[in-house]
């Protein structure tokens, strides 16, 4: 293998070297020097294969006999055997091989040559600890610190004593109205929303949290499913702390959503971790920045309340503006997804940020380049990387502080009360540092999926290895590939068709199935291109206008709102590989993406007569990559929620105009954007801004 191939196939196993050569050697004691070159190469191939990403042979090796043993070179990787030791080292440019991975490869090489060597052990669990029910913890704060602020909005505050009184009154109302097992709570960033949540849980029911302004078919379907989830007994016991706490929908990208049931003990265990690690509490200011449908809001509300902290409700739904306000607060904790934080860095007005604080990032892979950008803007920040599926109550592993620069940012080790194990397809533990699928066990693993015993049984499995979790323990198969390193686990991608888009986990195959039922669609494919979902349909050319419009309508009304900006395009025939599968790489090529029916686009004459102001054209082009007209739709040009957020942020920064994402909620075309902006500023102002942009280019 070449150096490039070694680096790529050992992704996640490299640490940056600050200069010079650092061929650090790590190994294991073993007596395997007196073997043939052929035996050495065979052992190296067998040992190295489980550590490599992707398929295919290792390629040619170079073996050199030494005075006391042998040395095998695999690209820039070197495996050396002396009379009493096997060592591994590797360096590609400024990257050296991680010590844990190197030592484990050495161990597996010795084992492949027949040596009985003890291998590395990666700590699967962070230790069990006692935790108290969430309601009891909040009631304790109401008794011991009744006057402490529990919830704060721009207009008012509510202390712990009044919060519990109001929530218990809400629980009484739910009992009197004979409310169902699951109560849909519409979150509108008000204190009343938080009271409602606590009231639902006090009553012995579970809540389903939705955005107050989400009227999509997806939200209606989720509410319908939740309302049909009855208690087995039909009664609700306020003294019990073992029932369901909330219902979270995930992977339900279209059609019938899939409901995860998280119980009170699981929520309590997760909140205990947050308090024990000082991520939440009275000394923490953590704005509620998450959308209600994302499980990060569990931390921002329940984590703060159970730890005796204050739930800080934002002034608006403009997340970039709220982050900007938050970074001015000393010792603030900002919890968001990397995509949103990246957008904030693009438009940040204060450079550098002088305050101290903590940045908790999760929901997506954390790019090392984003870490570098963050430290340049905010030198005093502690960066925490969080990982976890909703099936594990928000977070399952964490890296308490991102410090070393690596080719991929680790997701760390299991949180307290959880166990993380890396298994192969046979549910056998892989060597430490080898590639495998992450499985999570412990206190925070959810009950399962509502009314889906088959999927529950395939994802929530009996614990396959002995990790001290006790008899009857379960583990959740995440479907995520990882490897262990000296800084913890490193995420290496999905093992199936699920991807993350704007922090939302979606199943591309489920989306394809949903589109395939639209009348007129003869074949469909759903692919991810440059971070944007593209729906590609095949149908008779005579029907393409009607079918494309029907598909767009389905996407816009039934898919969850984070996906409604997905692009829809028609092709005469979906390209396929020799074995008949959809050729995803061909669909992602620019030439293929231009196969949009010409008669679905504005005519050249209409475009010429509807030119937008040049400063707006520049802003849209820089974000969307296409030159727009006044009639151009931001959705049709691939403007997902992150890109829309960036466009509005650029309006504020370049045009110096006070607008928010909410202002453009019902405005999809550039012309509609321009009309609204001209209500706030005059054309002369836009002219001056355009001139300054042109001057900056020169």
């Amino acid at each position: 293998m070449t150096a490039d191939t070694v680096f790529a196939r050992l992704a996640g196993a490299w640490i940056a070297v600050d200069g010079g050569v650092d061929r650090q050697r790590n190994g294991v004691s073993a007596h395997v020097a007196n073997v043939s070159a052929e035996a050495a190469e065979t052992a190296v191939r067998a040992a190295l294969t489980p550590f490599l990403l992707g398929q295919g042979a290792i390629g040619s090796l170079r073996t050199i006999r030494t005075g006391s043993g042998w040395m095998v070179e695999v690209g820039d990787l070197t495996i050396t055997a002396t009379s009493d030791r096997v060592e591994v080292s590797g360096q590609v440019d400024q990257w050296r091989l991680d010590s844990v991975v190197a030592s484990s490869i050495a161990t597996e090489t010795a084992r492949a040559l027949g040596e009985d060597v003890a291998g590395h052990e990666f700590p699967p669990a962070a230790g069990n600890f006692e935790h108290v029910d969430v309601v009891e913890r909040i009631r304790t704060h109401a008794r011991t610190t009744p006057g402490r602020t529990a919830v704060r909005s721009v207009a008012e505050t509510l202390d712990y004593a009044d919060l519990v009184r109001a929530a218990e009154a809400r629980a009484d109302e739910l009992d009197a109205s004979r409310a169902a097992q699951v109560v849909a709570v519409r979150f509108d960033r008000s204190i009343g929303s938080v009271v409602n949540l606590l009231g639902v849980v006090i009553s012995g029911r579970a809540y389903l949290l939705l955005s107050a302004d989400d009227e999509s078919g997806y939200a209606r379907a989720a509410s319908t499913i939740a309302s049909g989830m009855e208690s087995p007994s039909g009664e609700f016991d306020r003294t019990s702390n073992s029932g369901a706490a909330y219902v979270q929908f995930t992977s339900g990208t279209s059609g019938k959503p899939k409901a995860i049931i998280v119980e009170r003990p699981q929520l309590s265990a997760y909140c205990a971790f947050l308090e024990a690690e000082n991520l939440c509490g009275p000394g923490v200011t953590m704005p509620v920045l998450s959308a209600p449908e994302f499980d990060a809001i569990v931390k921002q509300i329940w984590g703060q309340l159970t730890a005796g902290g204050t739930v800080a409700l934002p002034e608006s739904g403009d997340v970039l503006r709220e982050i900007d306000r938050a970074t001015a607060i000393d010792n603030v904790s900002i919890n968001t997804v990397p995509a949103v934080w990246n957008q904030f860095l693009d438009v940040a007005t204060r450079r550098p940020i002088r305050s101290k604080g903590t940045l908790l990032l999760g929901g997506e892979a954390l790019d090392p380049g984003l870490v570098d950008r963050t430290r340049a803007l905010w030198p005093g920040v502690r960066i925490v990387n969080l990982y976890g599926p909703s099936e594990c109550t928000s977070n399952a592993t964490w890296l308490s502080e991102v410090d070393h620069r690596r080719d991929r940012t680790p997701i760390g080790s299991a949180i307290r009360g959880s166990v993380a194990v890396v298994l192969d397809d046979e549910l056998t533990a892989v060597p430490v540092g080898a590639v495998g699928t992450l499985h999570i066990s412990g206190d925070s693993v959810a009950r399962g999926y509502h009314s889906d015993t088959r999927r529950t049984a395939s994802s929530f499995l009996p614990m396959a290895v002995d990790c001290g979790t006790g008899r009857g323990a379960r583990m959740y198969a995440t479907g995520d590939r990882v490897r262990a390193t000296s800084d913890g686990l490193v995420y290496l991608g999905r093992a199936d068709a699920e991807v993350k888009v704007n922090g939302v986990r979606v199943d591309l195959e489920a989306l394809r199935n949903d589109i395939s039922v639209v009348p007129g669609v003869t074949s469909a494919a759903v692919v991810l291109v440059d971070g944007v979902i593209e729906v590609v349909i095949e149908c008779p050319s005579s029907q393409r206008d009607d079918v494309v419009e029907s598909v767009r309508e389905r996407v816009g009304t039934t898919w969850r709102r984070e996906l409604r900006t997905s692009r829809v395009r028609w092709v005469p025939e979906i390209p396929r590989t020799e074995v008949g599968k959809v050729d995803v790489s061909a669909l992602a090529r620019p030439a293929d993406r231009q196969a949009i029916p010409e008669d679905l686009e504005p005519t050249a004459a209409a475009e010429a007569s509807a030119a937008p102001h040049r400063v707006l054209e520049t802003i849209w082009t820089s974000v969307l990559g296409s030159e727009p007209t006044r009639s151009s739709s931001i959705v049709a040009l691939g403007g997902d929620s992150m890109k829309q957020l960036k466009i509005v942020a650029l309006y504020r920064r370049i045009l110096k105009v006070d607008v928010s994402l909410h202002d453009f909620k019902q405005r999809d075309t550039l012309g509609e954007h321009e009309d609204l902006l001209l209500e706030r500023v005059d054309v002369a102002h836009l002219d001056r801004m355009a001139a300054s942009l042109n001057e900056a280019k020169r």
Side-chain angles (χ1 to χ4, degrees):
M1 292 189 295
T2 65
D4 287 344
T5 305
V6 168
F7 188 80
R9 297 191 67 183
L10 282 171
W14 303 94
I15 301 177
V17 179
D18 289 333
V21 177
D22 181 12
R23 293 192 71 91
Q24 175 179 311
R25 292 181 176 273
N26 299 93
V28 60
S29 297
H31 300 281
V32 295
N34 295 320
V35 299
S36 67
E38 182 180 2
E41 290 188 5
T42 299
V44 167
R45 288 181 190 277
L48 194 55
T49 296
F51 293 82
L52 301 177
L53 279 172
Q55 303 297 317
I58 291 176
S60 61
L61 307 181
R62 180 169 178 260
T63 303
I64 303 171
R65 300 298 306 191
T66 64
S68 58
W70 46 264
M71 179 173 66
V72 177
E73 293 180 344
V74 188
D76 277 17
L77 204 65
T78 303
I79 300 93
T80 304
T82 61
S83 59
D84 61 355
R85 190 168 176 80
V86 177
E87 294 183 333
V88 174
S89 67
Q91 183 165 352
V92 178
D93 297 328
Q94 78 275 24
W95 305 97
R96 71 165 172 83
L97 190 63
D98 180 89
S99 60
V100 166
V101 176
S103 295
S104 192
I105 293 173
T107 297
E108 295 307 308
T109 301
R111 287 176 173 173
L113 288 168
E115 193 81 349
D116 184 14
V117 200
H120 273 306
E121 290 189 6
F122 182 79
N128 295 322
F129 63 115
E130 295 296 324
H131 49 82
V132 179
D133 178 65
V134 288
V135 171
E136 180 54 36
R137 294 178 74 188
I138 295 170
R139 281 182 169 143
T140 298
H141 296 312
R143 291 192 299 269
T144 58
T145 55
R148 180 185 295 163
T149 300
V151 191
R152 180 180 69 241
S153 69
V154 175
E156 58 181 328
T157 62
L158 192 69
D159 63 30
Y160 271 90
D162 287 340
L163 169 65
V164 170
R165 276 193 291 268
E168 288 177 340
R170 176 58 180 147
D172 292 340
E173 293 172 1
L174 292 170
D175 287 344
S177 65
R178 302 181 65 83
Q181 167 69 38
V182 180
V183 179
V185 176
R186 293 284 184 166
F187 189 76
D188 60 2
R189 300 189 302 276
S190 71
I191 286 179
S193 295
V194 180
V195 170
N196 204 358
L197 285 179
L198 181 56
V200 170
V201 177
I202 286 176
S203 76
R205 295 170 172 84
Y207 67 82
L208 165 66
L209 197 57
L210 296 169
S211 295
D213 59 353
D214 188 0
E215 299 300 331
S216 68
Y218 176 88
R220 289 192 296 272
S223 297
T224 300
I225 292 172
S227 65
M229 294 170 60
E230 295 296 337
S231 167
S233 65
E235 300 292 331
F236 305 105
D237 182 3
R238 291 199 188 188
T239 64
S240 173
N241 59 13
S242 61
Y246 66 87
V247 176
Q248 174 91 34
F249 287 91
T250 189
S251 298
T253 52
S254 61
K256 182 180 178 181
K258 300 175 181 66
I260 300 168
I261 302 173
V262 176
E263 298 170 324
R264 292 263 286 269
Q266 293 137 24
L267 177 59
S268 301
Y270 177 62
C271 290
F273 152 73
L274 295 172
E275 182 178 22
E277 300 294 352
N278 297 314
L279 296 179
C280 292
V284 175
T285 299
M286 183 185 294
V288 181
L289 298 174
S290 174
E293 297 87 351
F294 293 168
D295 51 24
I297 206 166
V298 171
K299 180 190 311 93
Q300 297 162 12
I301 294 179
W302 291 105
Q304 283 292 81
L305 290 179
T306 57
T310 298
V311 176
L313 298 171
E315 181 177 337
S316 70
D318 188 334
V319 65
L320 296 186
R321 181 174 293 176
E322 296 300 330
I323 289 176
D324 192 50
R325 290 185 179 125
T327 55
I329 303 171
D330 216 24
N331 296 319
V332 72
S333 285
I334 296 175
N335 179 207
T336 188
V337 297
V340 170
W341 181 252
N342 191 52
Q343 296 289 358
F344 169 72
L345 294 184
D346 285 343
V347 299
T349 57
R350 287 179 288 113
R351 295 181 180 275
I353 297 172
R354 301 295 184 186
S355 63
K356 300 289 185 182
T358 300
L359 179 63
L360 301 124
L361 295 173
E364 299 168 335
L366 176 54
D367 179 20
L370 184 57
V371 174
D372 295 341
R373 291 187 67 200
T374 300
R375 295 205 185 283
L377 176 72
W378 197 357
V381 70
R382 169 196 179 193
I383 302 174
V384 177
N385 196 23
L386 298 166
Y387 161 88
S390 299
E391 289 87 346
C392 297
T393 320
S394 191
N395 296 129
T397 73
W398 74 310
L399 184 63
S400 61
E401 185 163 9
V402 180
D403 47 14
H404 301 112
R405 194 180 196 287
R406 307 184 63 106
D407 64 316
R408 298 197 184 187
T409 306
I411 58 173
S413 304
I415 68 171
R416 295 197 194 195
S418 289
V419 176
V421 293
V422 187
L423 307 177
D424 61 19
D425 293 342
E426 304 300 322
L427 299 184
T428 301
V430 302
V432 173
V435 179
T437 302
L438 178 60
H439 293 70
I440 303 294
S441 184
D443 296 339
S444 297
V445 176
R447 179 196 300 176
Y449 303 108
H450 172 66
S451 296
D452 197 340
T453 54
R454 181 191 61 79
R455 190 164 182 265
T456 297
S458 65
S459 299
F460 294 84
L461 309 171
M463 191 61 182
V465 295
D466 182 10
C467 289
T469 52
R471 296 174 61 85
R474 298 181 310 145
M475 64 180 185
Y476 172 68
T478 68
D480 290 331
R481 294 182 302 168
V482 298
R483 77 163 84 246
T485 71
S486 57
D487 286 329
L489 298 168
V490 175
Y491 173 75
L492 300 173
R494 293 290 301 173
D496 53 25
E498 288 188 353
V499 296
K500 277 287 185 72
V501 180
N502 294 334
V504 179
R505 180 154 53 100
V506 299
D507 187 322
L508 297 181
E509 182 62 18
L511 294 178
R512 190 196 67 78
N513 290 336
D514 185 62
I515 294 302
S516 296
V517 303
V518 174
V521 173
T522 56
S523 185
V526 180
V527 295
L528 193 67
V529 180
D530 298 330
V532 178
I533 284 182
E534 285 196 351
V535 179
V536 185
I537 62 167
E538 180 184 316
C539 69
S541 58
S542 60
Q543 302 175 22
R544 66 185 186 188
D545 295 17
D546 293 338
V547 175
V548 166
E549 186 56 36
S550 296
V551 171
R552 284 176 175 158
E553 182 179 358
R554 187 171 186 87
V555 169
T557 57
T558 67
W559 288 12
R560 47 186 309 162
R561 60 180 184 165
E562 296 85 4
L563 307 179
R564 279 183 250 150
T565 56
S566 301
R567 294 190 285 245
V568 179
R569 59 190 176 93
W570 172 88
V571 293
E573 184 177 0
I574 292 177
R576 298 185 179 276
T577 64
E578 293 181 356
V579 296
K581 295 184 177 181
V582 172
D583 190 339
V584 175
S585 61
L587 283 175
R589 284 197 292 265
D592 293 304
R593 299 211 305 272
Q594 295 169 4
I596 299 174
E598 293 179 2
D599 51 346
L600 294 182
E601 295 297 315
T603 65
E607 291 181 3
S609 63
H613 193 284
R614 58 190 182 278
V615 71
L616 300 184
E617 180 182 355
T618 299
I619 290 173
W620 275 47
T621 301
S622 68
V623 175
L624 302 173
S626 302
E627 292 187 4
T629 67
R630 270 184 56 88
S631 60
S632 293
S633 158
I634 194 169
V635 172
L637 292 178
D640 57 31
S641 58
M642 292 298 100
K643 290 179 180 177
Q644 292 180 42
L645 198 62
K646 186 170 184 176
I647 284 173
V648 174
L650 289 174
Y651 289 162
R652 291 207 303 265
R653 191 179 76 178
I654 295 173
L655 305 181
K656 305 296 190 291
V657 58
D658 187 16
V659 290
S660 70
L661 190 62
H662 183 76
D663 291 326
F664 299 94
K665 182 179 178 182
Q666 302 300 327
R667 295 174 170 86
D668 179 57
T669 68
L670 192 153
E672 291 171 324
H673 280 223
E674 185 173 356
D675 292 342
L676 181 134
L677 290 167
L678 288 174
E679 293 175 6
R680 312 286 176 91
V681 298
D682 57 31
V683 175
H685 176 72
L686 298 185
D687 291 341
R688 288 192 296 273
M689 295 302 101
S692 64
L693 284 178
N694 290 334
E695 183 65 30
K697 287 181 181 179
R698 290 195 291 268

